[in-house]
Amino acid sequence: MAQAQGLGKRYVRAFFKGFCVAVPVTVTFLDRVACVARVEGASMQPSLNPGGRQASDVVLLNHWSIRNYDVQRGDIVSLV
């Protein structure tokens, strides 16, 4: 019984250590490198959400290019 409690404590401790590393890494990645966004509505038709369908398109917003001023003609820019 004592061995099972020790094993459970070890798993819980390992989970929290991994959680404490994964959360800051994920937040930093989403803030500095790229994030995923959903495009809804008619504002980007016909390029995104063609045909007026109800399903939304998913796009990758590249923060890295904006930080390096690597925006070219024809790129879609998202402002928040």
Side-chain angles (χ1 to χ4, degrees), residues 15 24 30 36 40 46-47 57 60-62 64 70 75-76 79:
F15 172 77
L30 293 175
V36 178
E40 297 174 334
S47 298
D57 288 341
L60 179 70
L61 301 176
N62 185 354
W64 201 264
D70 189 24
D75 288 348
I76 297 173
L79 301 173

Side-chain angles (χ1 to χ4, degrees), residues 33-56:
V33 179
C35 67
V36 178
R38 202 168 40 167
V39 178
E40 297 174 334
S43 64
M44 292 300 295
Q45 286 179 347
S47 298
L48 300 172
N49 293 338
R53 61 182 184 183
Q54 294 298 324
S56 59

Side-chain angles (χ1 to χ4, degrees), residues 37 39 43-44 48 59-63 65-67 69-80:
V39 178
S43 64
M44 292 300 295
L48 300 172
V59 294
L60 179 70
L61 301 176
N62 185 354
H63 298 270
S65 293
I66 298 299
R67 291 190 195 285
Y69 301 105
D70 189 24
V71 180
Q72 299 172 1
R73 185 175 186 168
D75 288 348
I76 297 173
V77 179
S78 172
L79 301 173
V80 178

Side-chain angles (χ1 to χ4, degrees), residues 1-61:
M1 189 66 147
Q3 189 177 22
Q5 288 178 348
L7 187 63
K9 277 186 178 181
R10 192 169 10 156
Y11 283 129
V12 169
R13 189 175 303 139
F15 172 77
F16 281 117
K17 282 183 182 179
F19 185 78
C20 290
V21 170
V23 169
V25 169
T26 303
V27 168
T28 302
F29 180 83
L30 293 175
D31 188 43
R32 299 290 180 183
V33 179
C35 67
V36 178
R38 202 168 40 167
V39 178
E40 297 174 334
S43 64
M44 292 300 295
Q45 286 179 347
S47 298
L48 300 172
N49 293 338
R53 61 182 184 183
Q54 294 298 324
S56 59
D57 288 341
V58 178
V59 294
L60 179 70
L61 301 176

